[in-house]
Amino acid sequence: MRRYPPIADHGLIGDLRTAALVSSDGVLDWLCAPRFDSPSLFAALLDHERGGCFALSPEAPGATTRQLYLADTAILVTRFLTPEGVGEVVDFMPLGEAEAPEDQHHVIRIMRATRGTVRFRLACRPRFDYGRGTHHLTLTQDTAHFTAPDSAAFLHVRGPAAVPVELRREERDVLAHLTLRHGERAAAVLTVCDTPHAEPPAPPTGRSVQHAFASTYDYWNRWVRRSRYRGRWQQMVSRSAITLKLMTYAPTGAPVAAVTTGLPEQLGGERNWDYRYTWVRDASLAVRALLDLGYDEEAEAFRHWLAARLATGETTTGEPLQVLYRVDGDPQLAEETLGHLEGYRGSAPVRIGNDAAGQLQLDIYGELAYALSGTGDHAQLAGYDGWRHLSALLDWLARSWDRPDEGIWETRGGRQDFTFSRLMCWTALDRGIRLATKLARPADVPGWTAARDAIFRQIMERGFSPRRRAFVQHYGSDVLDASLLLMPAVGFLSPGDGRWLTTLDAMEAELVSDSLVHRYDTAASPDGLRGEEGTFSLCSFLYVSALAQAGRLGKARYAFDKMLTYANHVGLFAEEIGPTGEQLGNFPQAFTHVALIMAALALDEGLDDADGGP
């Protein structure tokens, strides 16, 4: 077991309530339960010694490994090529008919020998509550029961009838060895329960494991078939859509920004944040991307979540919405440091919670309106109560937009008049006006129109630098900002507008390096944090969309194809790309996969138009 595998060297599995990462070594080194934002059970990715892991791999030093997903599913297969044979571990969390009860979460790990003989080694080392908790172990021949003060986990291991399995205690951990010959298979089923006094689940049988596999396989295939996308990048778009679905908390419809916390934007640096929450911005754009692919149910579920936030009005900021929430809508997200954890490759501090929840970021209202105005039919589904909440929000925004804020990048260097925040306030009011007109809904359209036009004039007068011939990060500066790549996408300016084209040229000259895009120059615009960062994959895909919309199709397609080479071996992206091409930041990152889908759709549309139609 490597001490710290590369961040990108993982596949993702999940049950739409939580998710786990499995490295290509067969090590499950990240799992929080019962929810994405719960304390961890396995967190070796943040501390090899204290974090805990569930390893399942051959006893064959130097084995060659390969990892893949079964097509159009979230079922992960890790293959091991050894001198004695070829083995596989199939990992998934059950869905469909086999979905676990609300208070349980199953991780099923199927071992099989596909050629020759393979000797597997199992090591289950749970560490409850980010490694701060203690647990008691009760062990029988093939079942382990781990009990902690607030939760419990059960591990059942079943081999073929001719291959007895004996679990062995190693202090508070469990080890086992299992030799499988060609065609034989075994299963390790980990069940995490919300209560320490949970009844043990029924031991797995070959039939129950096979049923869970078939049910999960069918679930994902049915879900993928709902997509309307028929473009040129079917495989990557489908994988991004599945990833966004995996990162959505089914009981509320709220997507999380990433399934991890504390993975560094710079190795050894302090830019290590907790992304296991629902950002209004990220979630809105994720839902818009799914809606553009035909996934109306996901959009409707998120609309209900948003409506509940607006109806309760519970925030820590006094604003109608705050920047992020827990997946159940709880606005309390106090940030704390886990000083006992080493951090990924020594990148400390490891944080849980996120103080960005208390920031003012006015752009979130624009992403919200942009997402929920994707189709008139969808907006119609919101009904009168939904419209009443939205119109009240826009009434407030029309009075409250002209304020400095912390901006999309959540800087900690003080509030500014960020151009992107103004742009998205314009977008919110513009979409509201369109919806009110199209749906014939009661609204203060004259008031909204006056505010929208005032924002437009202000951005053109104060957000554009004649010296740089470009729109800039905030008023009074000459700093460029890649978030403004969304300017033509939301319709603020036409993609062929002269001011926009010179802005795009300036960004290409300053922020783009071999198709990879920096958010902004941190040296020219200090953000209150030490250290540097890599290029933002979100921005790199937004750059592709902007190029495509501007008609620069050859450059857009080349940049898109190059970006796809930075995907990991199963098509997943983290937040950033480091200086030598490594993936950095929390993983996988929803925003990156959202922007990939947006880029593919924009590029397909541009290429189809250039070819005279699809």
Side-chain angles (χ1 to χ4, degrees), residues 30 32 37-40 46 129-130 132 261-262 272-277 326 333-338 340-341 349-355:
W30 183 258
C32 297
D37 56 358
S38 296
S40 65
L46 294 180
D129 190 20
Y130 306 108
R132 296 180 297 193
T261 181
N272 318 313
W273 312 110
D274 192 348
Y275 281 4
R276 298 170 300 151
Y277 308 115
R326 294 189 180 275
L333 289 137
E335 189 174 295
E336 63 177 294
T337 296
L338 300 180
H340 66 288
L341 294 180
V350 173
R351 299 180 177 93
I352 57 173
N354 199 308
D355 282 346

PDB file of all heavy atoms in Angstrom, residues 30 32 37-40 46 129-130 132 261-262 272-277 326 333-338 340-341 349-355:
ATOM      1  N   TRP A  30     -11.161   6.617   1.506  1.00  0.00           N
ATOM      2  CA  TRP A  30     -12.020   7.741   1.883  1.00  0.00           C
ATOM      3  C   TRP A  30     -13.476   7.305   1.900  1.00  0.00           C
ATOM      4  O   TRP A  30     -13.993   6.807   0.895  1.00  0.00           O
ATOM      5  CB  TRP A  30     -11.860   8.914   0.926  1.00  0.00           C
ATOM      6  CG  TRP A  30     -12.707  10.096   1.363  1.00  0.00           C
ATOM      7  CD1 TRP A  30     -13.905  10.500   0.859  1.00  0.00           C
ATOM      8  CD2 TRP A  30     -12.416  10.991   2.450  1.00  0.00           C
ATOM      9  NE1 TRP A  30     -14.380  11.582   1.556  1.00  0.00           N
ATOM     10  CE2 TRP A  30     -13.477  11.906   2.535  1.00  0.00           C
ATOM     11  CE3 TRP A  30     -11.343  11.107   3.337  1.00  0.00           C
ATOM     12  CZ2 TRP A  30     -13.512  12.931   3.486  1.00  0.00           C
ATOM     13  CZ3 TRP A  30     -11.373  12.125   4.287  1.00  0.00           C
ATOM     14  CH2 TRP A  30     -12.441  13.023   4.347  1.00  0.00           C
ATOM     15  N   CYS A  32     -17.070   8.787   4.215  1.00  0.00           N
ATOM     16  CA  CYS A  32     -17.784   9.421   5.316  1.00  0.00           C
ATOM     17  C   CYS A  32     -19.195   8.845   5.359  1.00  0.00           C
ATOM     18  O   CYS A  32     -19.791   8.570   4.311  1.00  0.00           O
ATOM     19  CB  CYS A  32     -17.859  10.938   5.116  1.00  0.00           C
ATOM     20  SG  CYS A  32     -16.252  11.753   5.108  1.00  0.00           S
ATOM     21  N   ASP A  37     -21.275  14.801   4.277  1.00  0.00           N
ATOM     22  CA  ASP A  37     -20.679  15.754   5.210  1.00  0.00           C
ATOM     23  C   ASP A  37     -20.575  15.210   6.628  1.00  0.00           C
ATOM     24  O   ASP A  37     -20.368  15.976   7.572  1.00  0.00           O
ATOM     25  CB  ASP A  37     -21.466  17.068   5.197  1.00  0.00           C
ATOM     26  CG  ASP A  37     -22.955  16.881   5.495  1.00  0.00           C
ATOM     27  OD1 ASP A  37     -23.393  15.740   5.684  1.00  0.00           O
ATOM     28  OD2 ASP A  37     -23.680  17.900   5.545  1.00  0.00           O
ATOM     29  N   SER A  38     -20.696  13.876   6.790  1.00  0.00           N
ATOM     30  CA  SER A  38     -20.531  13.244   8.101  1.00  0.00           C
ATOM     31  C   SER A  38     -19.053  13.022   8.399  1.00  0.00           C
ATOM     32  O   SER A  38     -18.200  13.078   7.500  1.00  0.00           O
ATOM     33  CB  SER A  38     -21.249  11.895   8.129  1.00  0.00           C
ATOM     34  OG  SER A  38     -22.640  12.042   7.977  1.00  0.00           O
ATOM     35  N   PRO A  39     -18.715  12.740   9.655  1.00  0.00           N
ATOM     36  CA  PRO A  39     -17.332  12.368   9.979  1.00  0.00           C
ATOM     37  C   PRO A  39     -16.899  11.124   9.213  1.00  0.00           C
ATOM     38  O   PRO A  39     -17.721  10.276   8.853  1.00  0.00           O
ATOM     39  CB  PRO A  39     -17.383  12.117  11.489  1.00  0.00           C
ATOM     40  CG  PRO A  39     -18.531  12.940  11.966  1.00  0.00           C
ATOM     41  CD  PRO A  39     -19.546  12.885  10.866  1.00  0.00           C
ATOM     42  N   SER A  40     -15.612  11.017   8.988  1.00  0.00           N
ATOM     43  CA  SER A  40     -15.089   9.923   8.173  1.00  0.00           C
ATOM     44  C   SER A  40     -14.992   8.626   8.959  1.00  0.00           C
ATOM     45  O   SER A  40     -14.782   8.607  10.172  1.00  0.00           O
ATOM     46  CB  SER A  40     -13.705  10.282   7.623  1.00  0.00           C
ATOM     47  OG  SER A  40     -12.773  10.418   8.689  1.00  0.00           O
ATOM     48  N   LEU A  46      -5.936  11.430   4.005  1.00  0.00           N
ATOM     49  CA  LEU A  46      -5.498  12.615   4.738  1.00  0.00           C
ATOM     50  C   LEU A  46      -4.480  12.303   5.825  1.00  0.00           C
ATOM     51  O   LEU A  46      -3.838  13.217   6.333  1.00  0.00           O
ATOM     52  CB  LEU A  46      -6.706  13.324   5.365  1.00  0.00           C
ATOM     53  CG  LEU A  46      -7.710  13.930   4.388  1.00  0.00           C
ATOM     54  CD1 LEU A  46      -8.854  14.589   5.142  1.00  0.00           C
ATOM     55  CD2 LEU A  46      -7.037  14.938   3.465  1.00  0.00           C
ATOM     56  N   ASP A 129     -14.887   9.054  13.179  1.00  0.00           N
ATOM     57  CA  ASP A 129     -14.817  10.479  13.521  1.00  0.00           C
ATOM     58  C   ASP A 129     -13.458  11.093  13.183  1.00  0.00           C
ATOM     59  O   ASP A 129     -12.772  11.654  14.030  1.00  0.00           O
ATOM     60  CB  ASP A 129     -15.149  10.687  15.004  1.00  0.00           C
ATOM     61  CG  ASP A 129     -15.322  12.143  15.363  1.00  0.00           C
ATOM     62  OD1 ASP A 129     -15.559  12.957  14.459  1.00  0.00           O
ATOM     63  OD2 ASP A 129     -15.195  12.474  16.562  1.00  0.00           O
ATOM     64  N   TYR A 130     -13.056  10.959  11.922  1.00  0.00           N
ATOM     65  CA  TYR A 130     -11.792  11.537  11.446  1.00  0.00           C
ATOM     66  C   TYR A 130     -10.584  11.023  12.230  1.00  0.00           C
ATOM     67  O   TYR A 130      -9.580  11.712  12.375  1.00  0.00           O
ATOM     68  CB  TYR A 130     -11.810  13.070  11.533  1.00  0.00           C
ATOM     69  CG  TYR A 130     -12.970  13.724  10.844  1.00  0.00           C
ATOM     70  CD1 TYR A 130     -14.008  14.306  11.581  1.00  0.00           C
ATOM     71  CD2 TYR A 130     -13.040  13.773   9.452  1.00  0.00           C
ATOM     72  CE1 TYR A 130     -15.075  14.921  10.949  1.00  0.00           C
ATOM     73  CE2 TYR A 130     -14.121  14.388   8.820  1.00  0.00           C
ATOM     74  CZ  TYR A 130     -15.130  14.966   9.575  1.00  0.00           C
ATOM     75  OH  TYR A 130     -16.195  15.576   8.952  1.00  0.00           O
ATOM     76  N   ARG A 132     -10.542  10.437  15.390  1.00  0.00           N
ATOM     77  CA  ARG A 132     -10.564  10.902  16.778  1.00  0.00           C
ATOM     78  C   ARG A 132     -11.284   9.927  17.696  1.00  0.00           C
ATOM     79  O   ARG A 132     -11.128   9.972  18.909  1.00  0.00           O
ATOM     80  CB  ARG A 132     -11.262  12.272  16.869  1.00  0.00           C
ATOM     81  CG  ARG A 132     -10.551  13.377  16.136  1.00  0.00           C
ATOM     82  CD  ARG A 132     -11.289  14.707  16.248  1.00  0.00           C
ATOM     83  NE  ARG A 132     -12.613  14.664  15.625  1.00  0.00           N
ATOM     84  CZ  ARG A 132     -13.351  15.746  15.376  1.00  0.00           C
ATOM     85  NH1 ARG A 132     -12.880  16.945  15.708  1.00  0.00           N
ATOM     86  NH2 ARG A 132     -14.541  15.653  14.829  1.00  0.00           N
ATOM     87  N   THR A 261     -12.592  16.477   1.739  1.00  0.00           N
ATOM     88  CA  THR A 261     -12.129  17.705   2.378  1.00  0.00           C
ATOM     89  C   THR A 261     -10.612  17.654   2.480  1.00  0.00           C
ATOM     90  O   THR A 261     -10.019  16.574   2.546  1.00  0.00           O
ATOM     91  CB  THR A 261     -12.729  17.875   3.787  1.00  0.00           C
ATOM     92  OG1 THR A 261     -12.251  19.097   4.351  1.00  0.00           O
ATOM     93  CG2 THR A 261     -12.331  16.751   4.719  1.00  0.00           C
ATOM     94  N   GLY A 262      -9.991  18.796   2.473  1.00  0.00           N
ATOM     95  CA  GLY A 262      -8.585  18.892   2.825  1.00  0.00           C
ATOM     96  C   GLY A 262      -7.580  18.510   1.764  1.00  0.00           C
ATOM     97  O   GLY A 262      -6.373  18.608   2.024  1.00  0.00           O
ATOM     98  N   ASN A 272      -6.476  24.261   1.681  1.00  0.00           N
ATOM     99  CA  ASN A 272      -7.069  22.931   1.855  1.00  0.00           C
ATOM    100  C   ASN A 272      -8.451  23.116   2.481  1.00  0.00           C
ATOM    101  O   ASN A 272      -8.565  23.369   3.674  1.00  0.00           O
ATOM    102  CB  ASN A 272      -6.205  22.077   2.793  1.00  0.00           C
ATOM    103  CG  ASN A 272      -4.717  22.235   2.504  1.00  0.00           C
ATOM    104  OD1 ASN A 272      -4.284  22.173   1.355  1.00  0.00           O
ATOM    105  ND2 ASN A 272      -3.929  22.464   3.550  1.00  0.00           N
ATOM    106  N   TRP A 273      -9.503  22.970   1.681  1.00  0.00           N
ATOM    107  CA  TRP A 273     -10.838  23.346   2.117  1.00  0.00           C
ATOM    108  C   TRP A 273     -11.777  22.148   2.162  1.00  0.00           C
ATOM    109  O   TRP A 273     -11.518  21.108   1.537  1.00  0.00           O
ATOM    110  CB  TRP A 273     -11.406  24.426   1.190  1.00  0.00           C
ATOM    111  CG  TRP A 273     -10.447  25.542   0.928  1.00  0.00           C
ATOM    112  CD1 TRP A 273      -9.800  25.822  -0.236  1.00  0.00           C
ATOM    113  CD2 TRP A 273     -10.012  26.540   1.870  1.00  0.00           C
ATOM    114  NE1 TRP A 273      -8.992  26.919  -0.095  1.00  0.00           N
ATOM    115  CE2 TRP A 273      -9.104  27.387   1.187  1.00  0.00           C
ATOM    116  CE3 TRP A 273     -10.298  26.801   3.216  1.00  0.00           C
ATOM    117  CZ2 TRP A 273      -8.486  28.472   1.805  1.00  0.00           C
ATOM    118  CZ3 TRP A 273      -9.689  27.884   3.824  1.00  0.00           C
ATOM    119  CH2 TRP A 273      -8.800  28.703   3.121  1.00  0.00           C
ATOM    120  N   ASP A 274     -12.897  22.321   2.843  1.00  0.00           N
ATOM    121  CA  ASP A 274     -13.915  21.277   2.932  1.00  0.00           C
ATOM    122  C   ASP A 274     -15.000  21.581   1.898  1.00  0.00           C
ATOM    123  O   ASP A 274     -15.703  22.583   2.000  1.00  0.00           O
ATOM    124  CB  ASP A 274     -14.516  21.266   4.352  1.00  0.00           C
ATOM    125  CG  ASP A 274     -15.364  20.035   4.606  1.00  0.00           C
ATOM    126  OD1 ASP A 274     -15.682  19.317   3.642  1.00  0.00           O
ATOM    127  OD2 ASP A 274     -15.713  19.786   5.782  1.00  0.00           O
ATOM    128  N   TYR A 275     -15.127  20.691   0.917  1.00  0.00           N
ATOM    129  CA  TYR A 275     -16.073  20.906  -0.179  1.00  0.00           C
ATOM    130  C   TYR A 275     -17.267  19.950  -0.124  1.00  0.00           C
ATOM    131  O   TYR A 275     -17.980  19.809  -1.123  1.00  0.00           O
ATOM    132  CB  TYR A 275     -15.362  20.716  -1.531  1.00  0.00           C
ATOM    133  CG  TYR A 275     -14.527  21.887  -1.976  1.00  0.00           C
ATOM    134  CD1 TYR A 275     -14.342  23.010  -1.171  1.00  0.00           C
ATOM    135  CD2 TYR A 275     -13.912  21.879  -3.221  1.00  0.00           C
ATOM    136  CE1 TYR A 275     -13.567  24.082  -1.592  1.00  0.00           C
ATOM    137  CE2 TYR A 275     -13.137  22.946  -3.654  1.00  0.00           C
ATOM    138  CZ  TYR A 275     -12.970  24.044  -2.833  1.00  0.00           C
ATOM    139  OH  TYR A 275     -12.195  25.109  -3.254  1.00  0.00           O
ATOM    140  N   ARG A 276     -17.529  19.328   1.005  1.00  0.00           N
ATOM    141  CA  ARG A 276     -18.577  18.300   1.077  1.00  0.00           C
ATOM    142  C   ARG A 276     -19.960  18.908   1.358  1.00  0.00           C
ATOM    143  O   ARG A 276     -20.798  18.263   1.993  1.00  0.00           O
ATOM    144  CB  ARG A 276     -18.232  17.291   2.175  1.00  0.00           C
ATOM    145  CG  ARG A 276     -16.921  16.530   1.942  1.00  0.00           C
ATOM    146  CD  ARG A 276     -16.526  15.736   3.164  1.00  0.00           C
ATOM    147  NE  ARG A 276     -16.334  16.627   4.302  1.00  0.00           N
ATOM    148  CZ  ARG A 276     -16.534  16.260   5.564  1.00  0.00           C
ATOM    149  NH1 ARG A 276     -16.924  15.033   5.849  1.00  0.00           N
ATOM    150  NH2 ARG A 276     -16.321  17.110   6.560  1.00  0.00           N
ATOM    151  N   TYR A 277     -20.185  20.098   0.855  1.00  0.00           N
ATOM    152  CA  TYR A 277     -21.409  20.820   1.139  1.00  0.00           C
ATOM    153  C   TYR A 277     -22.047  21.286  -0.164  1.00  0.00           C
ATOM    154  O   TYR A 277     -21.486  21.124  -1.249  1.00  0.00           O
ATOM    155  CB  TYR A 277     -21.118  22.012   2.064  1.00  0.00           C
ATOM    156  CG  TYR A 277     -20.357  21.606   3.298  1.00  0.00           C
ATOM    157  CD1 TYR A 277     -19.057  22.052   3.532  1.00  0.00           C
ATOM    158  CD2 TYR A 277     -20.914  20.710   4.219  1.00  0.00           C
ATOM    159  CE1 TYR A 277     -18.357  21.652   4.657  1.00  0.00           C
ATOM    160  CE2 TYR A 277     -20.209  20.313   5.341  1.00  0.00           C
ATOM    161  CZ  TYR A 277     -18.933  20.777   5.557  1.00  0.00           C
ATOM    162  OH  TYR A 277     -18.238  20.367   6.657  1.00  0.00           O
ATOM    163  N   ARG A 326     -25.247  22.692   4.511  1.00  0.00           N
ATOM    164  CA  ARG A 326     -25.153  21.242   4.576  1.00  0.00           C
ATOM    165  C   ARG A 326     -26.216  20.643   3.647  1.00  0.00           C
ATOM    166  O   ARG A 326     -27.160  21.328   3.243  1.00  0.00           O
ATOM    167  CB  ARG A 326     -25.346  20.741   6.004  1.00  0.00           C
ATOM    168  CG  ARG A 326     -24.222  21.181   6.942  1.00  0.00           C
ATOM    169  CD  ARG A 326     -24.310  20.499   8.300  1.00  0.00           C
ATOM    170  NE  ARG A 326     -23.226  20.953   9.153  1.00  0.00           N
ATOM    171  CZ  ARG A 326     -21.997  20.428   9.167  1.00  0.00           C
ATOM    172  NH1 ARG A 326     -21.724  19.409   8.364  1.00  0.00           N
ATOM    173  NH2 ARG A 326     -21.071  20.899   9.959  1.00  0.00           N
ATOM    174  N   LEU A 333     -22.044  25.922   9.554  1.00  0.00           N
ATOM    175  CA  LEU A 333     -20.876  25.258   8.965  1.00  0.00           C
ATOM    176  C   LEU A 333     -19.586  25.811   9.548  1.00  0.00           C
ATOM    177  O   LEU A 333     -18.628  26.079   8.828  1.00  0.00           O
ATOM    178  CB  LEU A 333     -20.866  25.445   7.446  1.00  0.00           C
ATOM    179  CG  LEU A 333     -21.929  24.664   6.686  1.00  0.00           C
ATOM    180  CD1 LEU A 333     -22.564  25.509   5.626  1.00  0.00           C
ATOM    181  CD2 LEU A 333     -21.312  23.439   6.047  1.00  0.00           C
ATOM    182  N   ALA A 334     -19.526  25.978  10.837  1.00  0.00           N
ATOM    183  CA  ALA A 334     -18.342  26.557  11.459  1.00  0.00           C
ATOM    184  C   ALA A 334     -17.089  25.776  11.070  1.00  0.00           C
ATOM    185  O   ALA A 334     -17.050  24.542  11.136  1.00  0.00           O
ATOM    186  CB  ALA A 334     -18.510  26.571  12.972  1.00  0.00           C
ATOM    187  N   GLU A 335     -16.069  26.504  10.678  1.00  0.00           N
ATOM    188  CA  GLU A 335     -14.820  25.889  10.216  1.00  0.00           C
ATOM    189  C   GLU A 335     -13.933  25.554  11.412  1.00  0.00           C
ATOM    190  O   GLU A 335     -13.782  26.366  12.328  1.00  0.00           O
ATOM    191  CB  GLU A 335     -14.120  26.858   9.282  1.00  0.00           C
ATOM    192  CG  GLU A 335     -12.921  26.304   8.531  1.00  0.00           C
ATOM    193  CD  GLU A 335     -12.394  27.301   7.514  1.00  0.00           C
ATOM    194  OE1 GLU A 335     -13.123  27.608   6.545  1.00  0.00           O
ATOM    195  OE2 GLU A 335     -11.261  27.792   7.718  1.00  0.00           O
ATOM    196  N   GLU A 336     -13.348  24.350  11.398  1.00  0.00           N
ATOM    197  CA  GLU A 336     -12.394  23.963  12.434  1.00  0.00           C
ATOM    198  C   GLU A 336     -11.254  23.190  11.801  1.00  0.00           C
ATOM    199  O   GLU A 336     -11.364  22.657  10.694  1.00  0.00           O
ATOM    200  CB  GLU A 336     -13.059  23.142  13.534  1.00  0.00           C
ATOM    201  CG  GLU A 336     -13.627  21.807  13.094  1.00  0.00           C
ATOM    202  CD  GLU A 336     -14.204  21.013  14.257  1.00  0.00           C
ATOM    203  OE1 GLU A 336     -13.430  20.612  15.135  1.00  0.00           O
ATOM    204  OE2 GLU A 336     -15.425  20.784  14.260  1.00  0.00           O
ATOM    205  N   THR A 337     -10.154  23.131  12.527  1.00  0.00           N
ATOM    206  CA  THR A 337      -8.949  22.457  12.036  1.00  0.00           C
ATOM    207  C   THR A 337      -8.768  21.141  12.757  1.00  0.00           C
ATOM    208  O   THR A 337      -8.891  21.063  13.987  1.00  0.00           O
ATOM    209  CB  THR A 337      -7.718  23.351  12.264  1.00  0.00           C
ATOM    210  OG1 THR A 337      -7.857  24.544  11.483  1.00  0.00           O
ATOM    211  CG2 THR A 337      -6.439  22.637  11.874  1.00  0.00           C
ATOM    212  N   LEU A 338      -8.467  20.093  12.000  1.00  0.00           N
ATOM    213  CA  LEU A 338      -8.156  18.785  12.576  1.00  0.00           C
ATOM    214  C   LEU A 338      -6.643  18.672  12.703  1.00  0.00           C
ATOM    215  O   LEU A 338      -5.957  18.138  11.828  1.00  0.00           O
ATOM    216  CB  LEU A 338      -8.726  17.670  11.688  1.00  0.00           C
ATOM    217  CG  LEU A 338     -10.250  17.682  11.483  1.00  0.00           C
ATOM    218  CD1 LEU A 338     -10.678  16.533  10.587  1.00  0.00           C
ATOM    219  CD2 LEU A 338     -10.976  17.620  12.812  1.00  0.00           C
ATOM    220  N   HIS A 340      -4.764  16.861  14.470  1.00  0.00           N
ATOM    221  CA  HIS A 340      -4.142  15.546  14.667  1.00  0.00           C
ATOM    222  C   HIS A 340      -3.875  14.836  13.352  1.00  0.00           C
ATOM    223  O   HIS A 340      -3.173  13.819  13.332  1.00  0.00           O
ATOM    224  CB  HIS A 340      -5.042  14.671  15.547  1.00  0.00           C
ATOM    225  CG  HIS A 340      -6.355  14.322  14.906  1.00  0.00           C
ATOM    226  ND1 HIS A 340      -7.365  15.240  14.724  1.00  0.00           N
ATOM    227  CD2 HIS A 340      -6.822  13.153  14.390  1.00  0.00           C
ATOM    228  CE1 HIS A 340      -8.403  14.658  14.149  1.00  0.00           C
ATOM    229  NE2 HIS A 340      -8.090  13.387  13.925  1.00  0.00           N
ATOM    230  N   LEU A 341      -4.415  15.346  12.231  1.00  0.00           N
ATOM    231  CA  LEU A 341      -4.204  14.711  10.936  1.00  0.00           C
ATOM    232  C   LEU A 341      -3.030  15.364  10.203  1.00  0.00           C
ATOM    233  O   LEU A 341      -2.895  16.588  10.183  1.00  0.00           O
ATOM    234  CB  LEU A 341      -5.466  14.801  10.077  1.00  0.00           C
ATOM    235  CG  LEU A 341      -6.694  14.031  10.581  1.00  0.00           C
ATOM    236  CD1 LEU A 341      -7.864  14.212   9.619  1.00  0.00           C
ATOM    237  CD2 LEU A 341      -6.384  12.546  10.772  1.00  0.00           C
ATOM    238  N   PRO A 349      -3.204  23.015   7.176  1.00  0.00           N
ATOM    239  CA  PRO A 349      -4.104  22.256   8.041  1.00  0.00           C
ATOM    240  C   PRO A 349      -5.198  21.528   7.262  1.00  0.00           C
ATOM    241  O   PRO A 349      -5.542  21.920   6.142  1.00  0.00           O
ATOM    242  CB  PRO A 349      -4.725  23.350   8.912  1.00  0.00           C
ATOM    243  CG  PRO A 349      -4.774  24.553   8.016  1.00  0.00           C
ATOM    244  CD  PRO A 349      -3.523  24.472   7.193  1.00  0.00           C
ATOM    245  N   VAL A 350      -5.722  20.458   7.889  1.00  0.00           N
ATOM    246  CA  VAL A 350      -6.922  19.798   7.389  1.00  0.00           C
ATOM    247  C   VAL A 350      -8.117  20.481   8.053  1.00  0.00           C
ATOM    248  O   VAL A 350      -8.189  20.577   9.271  1.00  0.00           O
ATOM    249  CB  VAL A 350      -6.910  18.292   7.714  1.00  0.00           C
ATOM    250  CG1 VAL A 350      -8.239  17.646   7.335  1.00  0.00           C
ATOM    251  CG2 VAL A 350      -5.750  17.607   7.002  1.00  0.00           C
ATOM    252  N   ARG A 351      -9.043  20.960   7.237  1.00  0.00           N
ATOM    253  CA  ARG A 351     -10.197  21.675   7.767  1.00  0.00           C
ATOM    254  C   ARG A 351     -11.486  20.895   7.534  1.00  0.00           C
ATOM    255  O   ARG A 351     -11.639  20.220   6.511  1.00  0.00           O
ATOM    256  CB  ARG A 351     -10.330  23.049   7.095  1.00  0.00           C
ATOM    257  CG  ARG A 351      -9.149  23.988   7.308  1.00  0.00           C
ATOM    258  CD  ARG A 351      -9.406  25.298   6.593  1.00  0.00           C
ATOM    259  NE  ARG A 351      -8.339  26.285   6.818  1.00  0.00           N
ATOM    260  CZ  ARG A 351      -7.299  26.454   6.019  1.00  0.00           C
ATOM    261  NH1 ARG A 351      -7.154  25.693   4.958  1.00  0.00           N
ATOM    262  NH2 ARG A 351      -6.383  27.370   6.283  1.00  0.00           N
ATOM    263  N   ILE A 352     -12.425  21.033   8.476  1.00  0.00           N
ATOM    264  CA  ILE A 352     -13.801  20.613   8.268  1.00  0.00           C
ATOM    265  C   ILE A 352     -14.695  21.802   8.560  1.00  0.00           C
ATOM    266  O   ILE A 352     -14.335  22.685   9.340  1.00  0.00           O
ATOM    267  CB  ILE A 352     -14.185  19.403   9.140  1.00  0.00           C
ATOM    268  CG1 ILE A 352     -13.958  19.696  10.628  1.00  0.00           C
ATOM    269  CG2 ILE A 352     -13.410  18.161   8.712  1.00  0.00           C
ATOM    270  CD1 ILE A 352     -14.470  18.595  11.548  1.00  0.00           C
ATOM    271  N   GLY A 353     -15.862  21.835   7.924  1.00  0.00           N
ATOM    272  CA  GLY A 353     -16.646  23.046   7.952  1.00  0.00           C
ATOM    273  C   GLY A 353     -16.043  24.063   7.000  1.00  0.00           C
ATOM    274  O   GLY A 353     -14.952  23.861   6.451  1.00  0.00           O
ATOM    275  N   ASN A 354     -16.753  25.171   6.769  1.00  0.00           N
ATOM    276  CA  ASN A 354     -16.221  26.143   5.816  1.00  0.00           C
ATOM    277  C   ASN A 354     -16.761  27.532   6.137  1.00  0.00           C
ATOM    278  O   ASN A 354     -17.969  27.789   6.029  1.00  0.00           O
ATOM    279  CB  ASN A 354     -16.601  25.741   4.378  1.00  0.00           C
ATOM    280  CG  ASN A 354     -15.719  26.415   3.357  1.00  0.00           C
ATOM    281  OD1 ASN A 354     -15.561  27.621   3.373  1.00  0.00           O
ATOM    282  ND2 ASN A 354     -15.159  25.627   2.447  1.00  0.00           N
ATOM    283  N   ASP A 355     -15.878  28.422   6.540  1.00  0.00           N
ATOM    284  CA  ASP A 355     -16.275  29.779   6.916  1.00  0.00           C
ATOM    285  C   ASP A 355     -16.763  30.612   5.735  1.00  0.00           C
ATOM    286  O   ASP A 355     -17.307  31.712   5.938  1.00  0.00           O
ATOM    287  CB  ASP A 355     -15.109  30.498   7.597  1.00  0.00           C
ATOM    288  CG  ASP A 355     -14.923  30.069   9.046  1.00  0.00           C
ATOM    289  OD1 ASP A 355     -15.848  29.431   9.587  1.00  0.00           O
ATOM    290  OD2 ASP A 355     -13.860  30.355   9.621  1.00  0.00           O
TER     291      ASP A 355
END
